[in-house]
Amino acid sequence: MTTLETPITTFNEAELQQKAKDHLWMAMARQSVMEDGPGVPIIVRGDGHHIWDSKGKKYFDGLSGLFVVNVGHGRRRLAEAAAKQAEELAFFPTWSYAHPTAIELADRLAAEAPGDLNRVFFSSGGGEANETAFKLAKYFWKLQGRGTKHKVISRFIAYHGTPQGALAITGIPGMKEMFEPVTPGGFRVPNTNYYRADEAGFTGGTPEAFGLWAANRIEEMIEFEGPETVAAVFLEPVQNSGGCFPPPPGYFQRVREICDKYDVLLVADEVITGFGRIGNTFASTTYDFVPDMITCAKGMTSGYSPAGATIVNERIYEPFKHGDTTFYHGYTWGGHPVSSAVALENLDIMAEEKLGERVRENSPIFRATLEKLMDLPIVGDVRGDGYFFGIELVKDKATKETFTADESERLLRGFLSKALFEAGLYCRADDRGDPVVQLAPPLTIGPAEFDEIEGILRSVLSEAWTRL
């Protein structure tokens, strides 16, 4: 791997912190960290699976930035691809015009997508891709003369983005209540958290039985709301929020049957799971189902430039092929020439280095390494797939008792996040469901790095238990 040999730049820490305090509004973060606390960590450089802060300290990037940097930091090829394209054509929209890199990327994505998902609508991120899919689903049914089909079904605790439409699909009440009323029409069904299946109402059985039970709750919701009111079902192949819930065997096959039976569109939100994270370009391929739409972003460019896309099948595209029917929707940066060039180079790197195969080969080793942590009293469950795992933390392993809101506050924000970072591991300690630690490292790492991650987690989680 050829990386950028970036010289170490000296930063004035105090000056940067003051500027951040005075002007920077961080996303999804408490501004009090800068206003009343010691300041915010400032990351200045990345190389491979490591990042450095403004004080020169090195960390293991266990989250690929934000499930993004799949090929690792500091790739010279990607920087050069961006520079070359910017010099040749820095920007032109795909609004009634086209340019070569957007065309080539659309062709590449269509070739990688399953089934007849051949049509690509570009955006600049995952939330926008889901917003596009939501609007397109409603418009599609109107064009079929079935305008009452406007509702969408998603899963409890699932995150699908922050635009108003995507927020309606998101199943996290705490992220929506301050923006009410959101776009109407969003309905929730149980997710695939087998560890807490009984709490969702499943009375016991195998993962396969649970998968069918969970899928059948979608059918139940469609029937309850009325099939002629339901436009689409939005599902992540592995649900992120709540801590990496993989699909039980047979789950997506049953969901596909249900959607076909009631003529409801199936949307696979692959913003995180796409581009090798689960071992293939799309996790829909991994789990052997063909959705009607795929939304994707993040790993498409490995974060070297923003990009998102909604890939749809021929049935959805058909009404737009002829005449004056127009999808009045778009984003200035959708299909950006530089982002498209970076994405094409990024996909070439992934293919040349066989990163998907690497993930498929090493995922069982990664899981087994993390499962060593099950001997700790604070670890209740290890779950996930590919290079995407969650570790659920509990107060009592025998009863699966979780932490109260106050305990989660003290454990995750008061100690764990900071302690893991200070120990040299950047990852996510999350409480949007039950408390979990999430890992999604660059796809370039292997068993030696798995051991390094496990060692840091073991030390910090052991100390966390003594503080309860």
Side-chain angles (χ1 to χ4, degrees), residues 292-340:
D292 299 292
M293 291 190 251
I294 286 176
T295 59
C296 55
K298 293 186 184 288
M300 189 192 311
T301 64
S302 285
Y304 285 70
S305 191
T310 304
I311 312 171
V312 310
N313 64 16
E314 292 292 345
R315 181 194 181 196
I316 294 172
Y317 185 75
E318 178 63 31
F320 302 92
K321 287 177 72 171
H322 307 289
D324 59 1
T325 303
T326 302
F327 186 32
Y328 286 107
H329 173 78
Y331 300 98
T332 299
W333 309 120
H336 192 285
V338 173
S339 294
S340 299

Side-chain angles (χ1 to χ4, degrees), residues 427-458:
C427 58
R428 169 180 270 184
D430 193 14
D431 64 349
R432 289 180 293 178
D434 296 294
V436 294
V437 173
Q438 281 186 294
L439 297 161
L443 311 185
T444 52
I445 72 167
E449 290 77 27
F450 303 158
D451 289 337
E452 183 181 350
I453 291 171
E454 191 271 344
I456 296 173
L457 287 170
R458 176 172 295 278

Side-chain angles (χ1 to χ4, degrees), residues 26 29-39:
M26 297 183 295
R30 296 178 180 179
Q31 295 301 112
S32 58
V33 171
M34 291 192 294
E35 293 292 334
D36 307 320

Side-chain angles (χ1 to χ4, degrees), residues 52-335:
W52 283 260
D53 67 16
S54 52
K55 299 176 182 177
K57 185 174 178 180
K58 177 180 169 183
Y59 304 87
F60 192 121
D61 183 357
L63 202 65
S64 299
L66 193 63
F67 317 104
V68 171
V69 191
N70 288 6
V71 301
H73 297 275
R75 291 276 191 167
R76 178 180 296 277
R77 280 177 61 179
L78 296 183
E80 290 176 344
K84 179 182 177 183
Q85 181 59 48
E87 187 174 358
E88 186 173 292
L89 179 67
F91 176 76
F92 211 80
T94 56
W95 300 41
S96 302
Y97 296 85
H99 53 80
T101 54
I103 294 169
E104 293 293 345
L105 180 57
D107 179 74
R108 182 73 172 270
L109 293 176
E112 297 280 353
D116 69 339
L117 277 75
N118 298 324
R119 309 293 180 161
V120 182
F121 191 100
F122 286 115
S123 55
S124 53
E128 291 177 356
N130 283 322
E131 186 86 359
T132 299
F134 188 9
K135 292 173 73 174
L136 185 54
K138 292 196 289 186
Y139 191 17
F140 170 78
W141 290 120
K142 282 184 170 63
L143 292 171
Q144 308 306 306
R146 301 167 73 182
T148 58
K149 288 174 78 70
H150 68 280
K151 298 173 184 176
V152 289
I153 295 171
S154 58
R155 298 186 290 200
F156 293 131
I157 323 176
Y159 175 81
H160 294 283
T162 56
Q164 282 289 304
L167 198 60
I169 308 168
T170 290
I172 309 170
M175 295 188 71
K176 304 198 293 186
E177 59 187 14
M178 64 286 291
F179 306 117
E180 296 282 2
V182 297
T183 303
F187 295 87
R188 240 58 65 200
V189 295
N191 56 46
T192 57
N193 182 359
Y194 184 62
Y195 181 65
R196 296 194 177 276
D198 57 334
E199 297 175 18
F202 179 64
T203 55
T206 64
E208 290 83 355
F210 172 60
L212 291 177
W213 177 88
N216 287 337
R217 301 289 71 76
I218 296 174
E219 181 175 36
E220 186 177 81
M221 183 64 77
I222 293 172
E223 290 179 337
F224 182 80
E225 290 299 322
E228 279 306 310
T229 72
V230 180
V233 173
F234 279 72
L235 304 172
E236 297 166 279
V238 178
Q239 183 173 314
N240 169 41
S241 186
C244 306
F245 304 142
Y251 174 79
F252 275 109
Q253 286 67 40
R254 177 61 182 140
V255 172
R256 181 70 269 179
E257 288 176 359
I258 292 166
C259 289
D260 290 342
K261 177 180 178 181
Y262 294 99
D263 212 3
V264 171
L265 302 177
L266 176 56
V267 183
D269 178 347
E270 298 231 31
V271 172
I272 289 177
T273 60
F275 306 104
R277 177 61 53 193
I278 310 298
N280 287 288
T281 301
F282 296 110
S284 301
T285 302
T286 305
Y287 299 123
D288 193 26
F289 74 101
V290 181
D292 299 292
M293 291 190 251
I294 286 176
T295 59
C296 55
K298 293 186 184 288
M300 189 192 311
T301 64
S302 285
Y304 285 70
S305 191
T310 304
I311 312 171
V312 310
N313 64 16
E314 292 292 345
R315 181 194 181 196
I316 294 172
Y317 185 75
E318 178 63 31
F320 302 92
K321 287 177 72 171
H322 307 289
D324 59 1
T325 303
T326 302
F327 186 32
Y328 286 107
H329 173 78
Y331 300 98
T332 299
W333 309 120

